[in-house]
């Protein structure tokens, strides 16, 4: 694919002159979310290979502190979709994955070797969360390469008790995000990203250009459905990306997460 076209699609501009792009990188730059799925089942061998791609992700100290829950059960998928209520494409997907941080496995390994597990802290929670997120990212790339589509679902964390019950999660295991998986009926357009000048900091952090960059970036995105209209009021014409971000970030979300994690034996001190 044309390198300049890929960069323009991703940023709405050409912030740098790209080098020649190999096919694997071109596919990554062209990544897009899938919210419409064909009813075709994903063959077991293909799914297992995509999961092997997810497990190819790097992991902190090679501890691999994550687990991947897999369900093809329409009733389980529907229960999660119905609880979320705003993402009908979840029910369309033939497979739902839930990537979890897994501290339990390390505790068991310590017990097997007769050692006390002393690494129970917020750092352990962060390491397990990052391991799960990296595995999900690699799983997304593997799925794309295999001709499948995906859509991350952070909203599984709004329904922790439900997910825990459906999958029988023991102490030390917590959901990080879900991922719908299946053959695409259609893919969304490429989603423009913030300009590199805002995200990439060379040698020292400098966000002095953020405010000036937002109007141009907002113009690249179609008006979005207003977030939290019950708190901030309705906006029939829709909201810009930055306004919607401010709306969302000004409302506390998942306030019970810490207590739920503690109930699962996860220490955040």
């Amino acid at each position: 694919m044309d390198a300049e076209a890929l960069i323009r699609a991703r940023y709405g501009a050409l912030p740098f002159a790209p080098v020649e792009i190999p096919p694997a990188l071109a596919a990554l730059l062209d990544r897009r979310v899938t919210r419409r799925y064909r009813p075709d089942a994903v063959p077991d061998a293909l799914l297992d290979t995509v999961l092997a791609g997810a497990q190819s992700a790097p992991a902190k100290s090679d501890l691999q502190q994550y687990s991947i829950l897999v369900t093809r059960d329409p009733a389980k998928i529907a229960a999660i979709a119905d609880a979320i209520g705003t993402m009908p494409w979840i029910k369309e997907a033939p497979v739902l994955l839930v990537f979890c941080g897994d501290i339990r496995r390390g505790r068991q390994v310590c017990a097997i070797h007769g050692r006390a597990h002393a690494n129970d802290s917020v750092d352990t929670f962060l390491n397990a969360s990052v391991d799960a997120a990296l595995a999900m990212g690699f799983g997304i790339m593997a799925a794309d390469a295999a001709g499948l589509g995906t859509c991350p679902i952070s909203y599984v964390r709004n329904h922790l008790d439900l997910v825990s019950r459906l999958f029988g999660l023991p102490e030390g295991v917590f959901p990080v995000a879900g991922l719908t998986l299946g053959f695409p009926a259609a893919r969304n357009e490429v989603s423009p990203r913030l300009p590199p000048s805002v995200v990439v900091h060379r040698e020292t952090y400098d966000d002095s250009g953020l405010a000036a960059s937002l109007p141009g970036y907002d113009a690249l995105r179609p008006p979005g459905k207003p977030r939290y209209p019950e708190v901030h009021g309705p906006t029939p014409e829709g909201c810009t990306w930055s306004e919607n971000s401010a709306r969302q970030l000004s409302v506390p979300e998942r306030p019970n997460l810490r207590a739920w994690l503690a109930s699962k034996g996860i220490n955040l001190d």
Side-chain angles (χ1 to χ4, degrees):
M1 298 181 69
D2 179 66
E4 289 194 3
L6 288 169
I7 298 300
R8 285 187 187 279
R10 187 55 73 194
Y11 292 117
L14 197 64
F16 58 88
V19 298
E20 183 177 347
I21 297 179
L25 180 53
L28 184 59
L29 292 170
D30 194 48
R31 190 206 64 81
R32 44 189 86 197
V33 76
T34 297
R35 294 194 177 102
R36 288 180 58 198
Y37 295 93
R38 295 180 355 221
D40 313 54
V42 178
D44 286 342
L46 178 58
L47 176 58
D48 289 343
T49 306
V50 168
L51 293 172
Q55 281 197 262
S56 299
K60 192 270 178 188
S61 297
D62 197 24
L63 292 173
Q64 304 172 64
Q65 296 177 102
Y66 67 93
S67 286
I68 308 170
L69 309 174
V70 183
T71 182
R72 298 176 181 271
D73 183 346
K76 277 187 178 179
I77 295 173
I80 293 172
D82 289 343
I84 293 172
T86 57
M87 300 179 182
W89 60 88
I90 296 176
K91 287 184 182 179
E92 290 183 9
V95 180
L96 178 65
L97 309 177
V98 181
F99 289 80
C100 297
D102 191 333
I103 299 169
R104 172 184 170 85
R105 186 182 304 117
R107 293 171 179 169
Q108 290 182 301
V109 169
C110 282
I112 289 167
H113 287 274
R115 299 185 182 276
H117 186 275
N119 271 298
D120 271 326
S121 67
V122 68
D123 186 61
T124 304
F125 167 75
L126 180 60
N127 288 332
S129 300
V130 171
D131 276 5
L134 285 168
M136 184 173 73
F138 270 61
I140 290 170
M141 291 188 290
D144 283 352
L148 297 167
T150 60
C151 181
I153 310 290
S154 68
Y155 265 64
V156 297
R157 296 198 305 278
N158 286 35
H159 305 282
L160 293 166
D161 287 335
L162 173 64
V163 174
S164 183
R165 176 174 58 79
L166 288 174
F167 292 97
L169 298 188
E171 280 201 356
V173 181
F174 57 94
V176 173
L179 189 72
T180 52
L181 179 75
F183 290 102
R187 293 182 186 270
N188 283 29
E189 293 298 315
V190 170
S191 181
R193 293 306 194 215
L194 287 163
S197 60
V198 170
V199 176
V200 180
H201 304 267
R202 302 186 189 276
E203 310 302 343
T204 188
Y205 188 96
D206 178 10
D207 63 356
S208 59
L210 174 61
S213 72
L214 288 178
Y217 180 66
D218 283 338
L220 294 174
R221 310 290 299 261
K225 181 180 178 181
R227 294 172 185 167
Y228 292 112
E230 70 279 9
V231 176
H232 302 296
T235 306
E237 68 276 15
C239 291
T240 64
W241 176 87
S242 62
E243 181 183 352
N244 251 344
S245 296
R247 280 174 166 246
Q248 180 169 352
L249 294 171
S250 63
V251 176
E253 294 183 314
R254 306 180 184 112
N256 298 322
L257 177 59
R258 186 185 184 95
W260 187 89
L261 291 168
S263 77
K264 286 293 183 178
I266 296 165
N267 183 17
L268 297 180
D269 294 330

